């Protein structure tokens, strides 16, 4: 449950509170993952937050929308919808055969890797989440208040987006096809069918006749039901499963690479800041003594046994000292050790696994008959595979450069320390023995330069000798990289180019799948005023798909019926205190002869109001009724569970002009609280929204105005005990 101040609380059914979190964002929607192991939260600023049910830790933070996410629906592929042919196309992730478990975010010396969208403190849960998500194909569907719907496979890999404001809507009416579109759309409910073949959504907006704009008027502003064809998800679920499994793992590893480069940059920068802070005193002393020589000249003079200048002597003995020099040496050594750890345990294995997974995707892209239809482009995959190969070379180069730099640093600092000790023992021009060539190399190339820092920055360009450049060009003939300028780039720049290439390659399936999601049908439900359009998103409504009885035990076929249940706002359609139930909207849209829909209107007793409602299993509807304050039943509430098959459905037409709503054609039934066509249970408190039901658990959770949470076992009779929760904080 989510409180008014956006705290998220999770309890067991015995009211044991497992955790409470404050995401720091306004929570606008919530849903469970199909396996119940993850809670998805939609926020006011368009983020989807995925939290581990066991401990509340955040697994992902994904920016899916630009505005508030109003509704979430996480649907899993129905096992019975899988055919024998699809089982033959099942896919094995071979990465685990050749590689150890994927590396996690680096954590060294108390530093973290920054905001990556992953929970740094919960790496094990992230790995478990990633691997578990790939076992059963599922899609998280999110809808926002500006009319956009996003689709994410496993909740983490974006695979499609559709803006209802831009979707063409074609309606067949009286043998004539008319085109419409919706304007100022706000999504209130979305529901994917269990075979992922179709999506039903409820939204508010203005219906525009694009063939004749003069027919649109104020009555066209209302709440509408749309049927979207999402058959691309069911028809290509094996291909999408394979691509998203590899791509989502690659995206995780890209974050590991980013964090590793960031971590190395921080570690090395801290060490070099100390080095330059201590050694920056020497140029100042040289100036103070009226000398025009450089620091390099002074150390060269000391190395080759000439006279030690007073400035250098003062610097080594007083400014730097033995303690300061040892501190620098220890810091450089520690930074070098940590660089080696990050490279060997995080950066290098991450890049190697990315390379392998991209090679797998490259192979899939060449299977054009299966993967071209979902946008896996062979040319783009060739390009990104080459770039990750270049990154592998860059990592190897970085390792060698870092090892050389650290060795030269160690030799130089060791020599300077010996000099300091000699100068402190007695004034002398004696020079300690050392490998003078290494000291010269350090003074020439490292005293005022930093190759490690340059490799970790994106704006550095490296020059190479002509022989090396020609050698790289000759390697192209033998299968080398076609981009022969890659050695001029830094490690950070090469990673940046890989990211851009990955973004382009993964955008193609996203765009291709999005273009194959179409509107199949439109059903205007009821009109609202323009000022009430936004508030219509909070009107009680529910959408569900129920598996047809004739396909219950047939694994080679799958058919379902959609049910749409909603409260009609008082005054709309000249109705008051009515609930509508409609079924078979999708099937009526998919047939050419445009058959009539069926449904009924249910009139709630005037002394009660419908607080909330929800569709339940086996075609049942659960209603929450609360006594009106002006009636004698004030403070008295009921939970009514109706079996819709026991009620009389009547047909109504789908033919309409743009400003006509046909719900009034439905038969109106009176709800009698003392009848036997459903279960009626008395609730001893006034009720408030929302209502939540669980078909798998067979329970309903409701809230009373006294800030109590109550859980009812729906399949038990009223005289049996119910579980009532403690007062919420």
């Amino acid at each position: 449950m989510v409180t008014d101040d956006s705290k998220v609380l999770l309890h067991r059914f015995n009211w044991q509170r497992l955790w409470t979190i404050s995401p720091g964002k306004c929570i606008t929607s919530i849903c469970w993952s199909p396996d119940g192991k993850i809670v998805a939260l939609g926020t006011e600023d368009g983020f989807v937050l995925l939290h581990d049910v066991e401990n509340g830790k955040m697994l992902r933070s994904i920016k899916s929308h630009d505005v508030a996410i109003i509704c979430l629906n996480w649907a899993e592929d129905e096992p019975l919808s899988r055919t024998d042919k699809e089982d033959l196309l099942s896919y094995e992730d071979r990465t685990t055969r050749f590689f150890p478990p994927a590396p996690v975010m680096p954590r060294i010396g108390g530093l973290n890797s920054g905001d990556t969208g992953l929970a740094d403190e919960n790496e094990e849960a992230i790995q478990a989440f990633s691997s578990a998500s790939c076992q059963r194909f599922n899609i998280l569907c999110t809808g926002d208040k500006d009319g956009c719907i996003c689709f994410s496979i496993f909740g983490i890999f974006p695979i499609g987006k559709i803006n209802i404001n831009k979707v063409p809507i074609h309606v067949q009416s009286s043998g004539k096809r008319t085109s419409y579109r919706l304007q100022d759309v706000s999504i209130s409910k979305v529901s994917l069918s269990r075979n992922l073949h179709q999506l039903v959504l409820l939204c508010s907006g203005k219906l525009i006749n694009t063939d004749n704009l003069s027919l649109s008027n104020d009555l066209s502003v209302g709440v509408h039901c749309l049927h979207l064809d999402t058959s691309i998800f069911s028809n290509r679920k094996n291909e999408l499963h394979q691509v998203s499994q590899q791509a989502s793992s690659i995206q995780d590893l890209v974050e590991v690479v980013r964090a590793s480069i960031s971590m190395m940059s921080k570690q090395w920068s801290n060490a070099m800041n100390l080095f330059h802070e201590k050694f920056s005193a020497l140029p100042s002393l040289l100036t103070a003594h009226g000398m025009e020589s450089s620091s390099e000249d002074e150390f060269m003079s000391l190395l080759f046994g000439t006279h030690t200048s007073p400035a250098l002597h003062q610097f080594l003995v007083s400014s730097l000292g033995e303690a300061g020099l040892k501190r620098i040496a220890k810091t450089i050594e520690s930074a070098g050790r940590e660089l080696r750890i990050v490279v060997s345990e995080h950066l290098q294995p991450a890049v190697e696994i990315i390379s392998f997974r991209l090679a797998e995707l490259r192979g899939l892209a060449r299977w054009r008959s299966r993967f071209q239809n979902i946008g896996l482009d062979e040319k783009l995959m060739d390009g990104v595979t080459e770039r990750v190969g270049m990154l592998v070379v860059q990592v190897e180069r970085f390792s060698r450069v870092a090892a050389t730099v650290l060795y030269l640093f160690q030799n130089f600092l060791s020599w300077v320390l010996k000099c300091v000790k000699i100068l402190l023992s007695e004034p002398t021009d004696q020079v300690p023995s050392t490998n003078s060539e290494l000291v010269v190399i350090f003074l020439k190339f490292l005293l005022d330069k930093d190759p490690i820092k340059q490799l970790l920055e994106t704006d550095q360009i490296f020059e190479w000798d002509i022989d090396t450049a020609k050698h790289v060009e000759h390697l192209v003939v033998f299968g080398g990289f076609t981009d022969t300028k890659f050695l001029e780039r830094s490690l950070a720049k090469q990673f940046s180019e890989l990211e851009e290439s990955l973004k382009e390659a993964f955008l193609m399936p996203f765009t291709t799948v999005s273009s194959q999601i179409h509107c199949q049908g439109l059903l205007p439900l009821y009109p609202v005023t323009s000022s009430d359009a936004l508030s219509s998103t909070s009107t009680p409504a529910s959408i569900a798909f129920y598996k047809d009885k004739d396909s219950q035990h047939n694994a080679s076929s799958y058919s379902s019926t959609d049910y749409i249940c909603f409260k009609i706002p008082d005054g709309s359609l000249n109705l008051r205190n009515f609930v509508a139930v409609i079924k078979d909207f999708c099937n009526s849209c998919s047939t050419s002869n445009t058959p009539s829909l069926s449904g009924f209107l249910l009139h709630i007793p005037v002394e009660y109001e419908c607080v909330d409602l929800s569709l339940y299993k086996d075609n049942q509807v659960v209603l929450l009724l609360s006594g009106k304050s002006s009636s004698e039943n004030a403070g008295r509430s009921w939970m009514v569970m109706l079996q819709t098959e026991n009620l009389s459905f009547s047909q109504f037409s789908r033919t309409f002009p743009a400003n006509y709503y046909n719900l009034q054609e439905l038969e109106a039934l009176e709800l009698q609280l003392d009848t036997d066509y459903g279960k009626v249970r008395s609730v001893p408190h006034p009720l408030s929204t929302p209502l939540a039901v669980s078909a798998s658990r067979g329970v309903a959770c409701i809230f009373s105005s006294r800030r109590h949470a109550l859980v009812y076992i729906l399949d038990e009779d009223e005289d049996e005990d119910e579980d009532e929760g403690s007062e919420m904080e």
Side-chain angles (χ1 to χ4, degrees), residues 228-376:
L228 300 185
D229 177 7
T230 57
S231 56
I232 181 67
F233 295 138
S234 57
N235 295 339
R236 296 292 177 179
K237 58 190 170 188
N238 280 298
E239 292 85 348
L240 291 171
H241 192 151
Q242 295 172 43
V243 171
S244 59
Q245 183 174 359
Q246 296 288 2
S248 58
S249 297
I250 289 171
Q251 289 176 336
D252 287 350
L253 292 168
V254 164
E255 296 301 330
V256 173
V257 174
R258 186 200 318 282
S260 299
I261 293 176
S262 174
M263 179 73 72
M264 292 190 301
S265 179
K266 291 177 184 178
Q267 292 293 113
W268 186 248
S269 176
N270 291 341
M272 293 308 295
N273 285 341
L274 177 64
F275 174 79
H276 291 300
E277 177 187 344
K278 294 295 184 181
F279 275 77
S280 62
L282 180 56
S284 301
L285 289 173
L286 292 173
T287 303
H289 283 77
M291 303 177 64
E292 296 181 355
S293 58
S294 65
S295 299
E296 178 185 336
D297 295 336
E298 290 298 315
F299 280 113
M300 284 290 192
S301 298
L302 179 62
L303 176 65
F304 293 108
T306 59
H307 180 72
T308 304
S309 68
L312 180 60
H313 187 280
Q314 181 181 350
F315 168 72
L316 293 176
V317 174
S318 302
S319 301
L320 186 60
E322 184 177 352
L325 197 56
K326 287 182 177 179
R327 181 186 172 196
I328 294 174
K330 183 178 180 181
T331 302
I332 297 292
E333 181 184 4
S334 176
R337 181 172 60 253
E338 291 166 353
L339 287 183
R340 288 191 292 270
I341 291 174
V342 172
V343 170
S344 62
E345 297 183 6
H346 303 276
L347 177 62
Q348 190 167 10
V351 172
E352 290 174 352
I353 297 177
I354 290 174
S355 178
F356 180 84
R357 289 191 177 277
L358 284 174
E360 294 281 90
L361 285 176
R362 184 186 185 189
L364 294 178
R366 295 182 176 181
W367 195 349
R368 299 184 186 91
S369 61
R370 286 189 61 192
F371 290 90
Q372 196 171 41
N373 290 334
I374 64 168
L376 192 62

Side-chain angles (χ1 to χ4, degrees), residues 13-15 681 699-700 709-713 720-725:
F13 278 130
N14 60 4
W15 294 109
R681 307 179 73 162
V699 298
L710 303 95
V711 171
Y712 285 87
I713 301 176
E720 298 188 48
D721 293 336
E722 63 268 323
D723 296 323
E724 183 173 345

Side-chain angles (χ1 to χ4, degrees), residues 278 336 453 511 542 592 694 727:
K278 294 295 184 181
K453 179 182 178 182
T511 305
S542 182
S592 58
S694 170
E727 187 171 347

Side-chain angles (χ1 to χ4, degrees), residues 668-689:
L669 307 175
E670 293 290 335
L671 175 61
Q672 302 294 334
L673 297 180
D674 56 352
T675 58
D676 58 358
Y677 53 71
K679 292 183 179 180
V680 181
R681 307 179 73 162
S682 175
V683 180
H685 308 287
L687 300 179
S688 62
T689 58

Side-chain angles (χ1 to χ4, degrees), residues 459-657:
D459 57 351
Q460 294 293 328
I461 299 177
F462 298 91
E463 296 182 359
W464 292 91
D465 59 85
I466 298 177
D467 292 338
T468 302
K470 289 183 178 180
H471 181 64
V472 172
E473 291 175 359
H474 292 158
L475 289 177
V476 177
V477 181
F478 302 98
F481 303 129
T482 57
D483 182 0
T484 58
K485 304 294 184 181
F486 74 96
L487 288 177
E488 297 179 1
R489 294 188 285 271
S490 65
L491 170 65
K493 180 63 175 179
Q494 189 64 59
F495 172 66
S496 177
E497 293 198 359
L498 172 64
E499 279 193 294
E500 290 298 319
S501 184
L502 282 170
K503 183 178 179 180
E504 183 182 8
F506 291 157
L507 182 61
M508 185 62 72
F510 180 90
T511 305
T512 303
V513 171
S514 299
S515 67
Q516 297 185 53
I517 300 174
H518 308 288
C519 180
Q520 289 289 95
L522 165 69
L523 178 63
L525 298 180
Y526 54 83
V528 295
T529 62
S530 299
S531 59
D532 294 336
L534 290 178
S535 63
S536 63
T537 57
S538 60
T539 301
S542 182
I543 308 170
F545 288 85
Y546 297 114
K547 193 172 178 64
D548 293 340
K549 293 182 179 179
D550 57 359
S551 62
Q552 289 283 349
H553 306 290
N554 189 351
S556 62
S557 65
Y558 183 96
S559 60
S560 62
T561 301
D562 58 280
Y563 279 72
I564 307 162
C565 182
F566 55 93
K567 178 185 177 182
I568 302 174
D570 288 346
S572 183
L573 300 176
N574 295 320
L575 298 173
R576 288 190 175 277
N577 232 17
F578 274 88
V579 169
V581 178
I582 301 171
K583 73 173 182 178
D584 231 14
F585 172 49
C586 292
N587 291 334
S588 68
C589 297
S590 59
T591 55
S592 58
N593 56 358
T594 324
S596 296
L597 288 165
S598 62
F600 62 83
L601 297 176
L602 191 64
H603 185 221
I604 308 300
V606 294
E607 62 269 25
Y608 294 96
E609 63 175 340
C610 180
V611 177
D612 204 353
L613 54 83
S614 179
L615 288 158
Y616 185 51
K617 61 183 178 181
D618 301 327
N619 310 338
Q620 295 173 320
V621 179
V622 180
L623 305 176
L624 283 187
L625 308 181
S626 185
K628 295 182 178 179
S629 58
S630 58
S631 70
E632 61 182 14
N633 292 306
R636 189 177 183 186
S637 303
W638 301 89
M639 182 168 60
V640 182
M641 186 167 62
L642 303 176
Q643 178 58 256
T644 58
E645 292 180 348
N646 297 335
L647 300 173
S648 176
F649 282 83
S650 58
Q651 293 186 341
F652 68 105
S653 174
R654 287 187 62 242
T655 59
F656 62 92

Side-chain angles (χ1 to χ4, degrees), residues 168-180 209 211 519:
I169 304 170
H170 305 295
V171 175
Q172 201 77 18
S173 178
S174 303
K176 181 182 178 182
R177 178 177 171 176
T178 308
S179 296
Y180 297 91
N209 186 331
D211 294 335
C519 180

Side-chain angles (χ1 to χ4, degrees), residues 340-466:
R340 288 191 292 270
I341 291 174
V342 172
V343 170
S344 62
E345 297 183 6
H346 303 276
L347 177 62
Q348 190 167 10
V351 172
E352 290 174 352
I353 297 177
I354 290 174
S355 178
F356 180 84
R357 289 191 177 277
L358 284 174
E360 294 281 90
L361 285 176
R362 184 186 185 189
L364 294 178
R366 295 182 176 181
W367 195 349
R368 299 184 186 91
S369 61
R370 286 189 61 192
F371 290 90
Q372 196 171 41
N373 290 334
I374 64 168
L376 192 62
D377 187 85
E378 182 179 354
K379 184 177 180 180
L380 292 176
M381 292 311 304
D382 287 344
V384 73
T385 303
E386 177 170 289
R387 280 175 173 77
V388 76
M390 297 174 186
L391 186 60
V392 172
V393 175
Q394 293 280 11
V395 171
E396 179 63 27
R397 178 175 71 169
F398 177 84
S399 298
R400 295 186 179 187
V401 169
T404 302
V405 168
L406 290 168
Y407 179 69
L408 292 173
F409 253 109
Q410 183 182 18
N411 184 79
F412 172 74
L413 294 175
S414 177
W415 171 71
V416 174
L417 181 60
K418 293 178 182 178
C419 292
V420 170
K421 289 181 177 181
I422 292 175
L423 292 174
L424 288 173
S425 61
E426 59 181 67
T428 179
D429 290 335
Q430 179 183 357
V431 179
S433 61
T434 186
N435 189 331
S436 58
E437 291 184 0
L438 296 180
V439 175
V440 171
I441 293 173
F442 179 89
L443 294 174
K444 290 286 187 182
F445 298 101
L446 297 180
L447 187 61
D448 298 319
K449 299 178 182 179
D450 191 348
I452 293 180
K453 179 182 178 182
Q454 291 175 335
L455 286 171
L456 296 174
E457 293 178 343
T458 57
D459 57 351
Q460 294 293 328
I461 299 177
F462 298 91
E463 296 182 359
W464 292 91
D465 59 85
I466 298 177

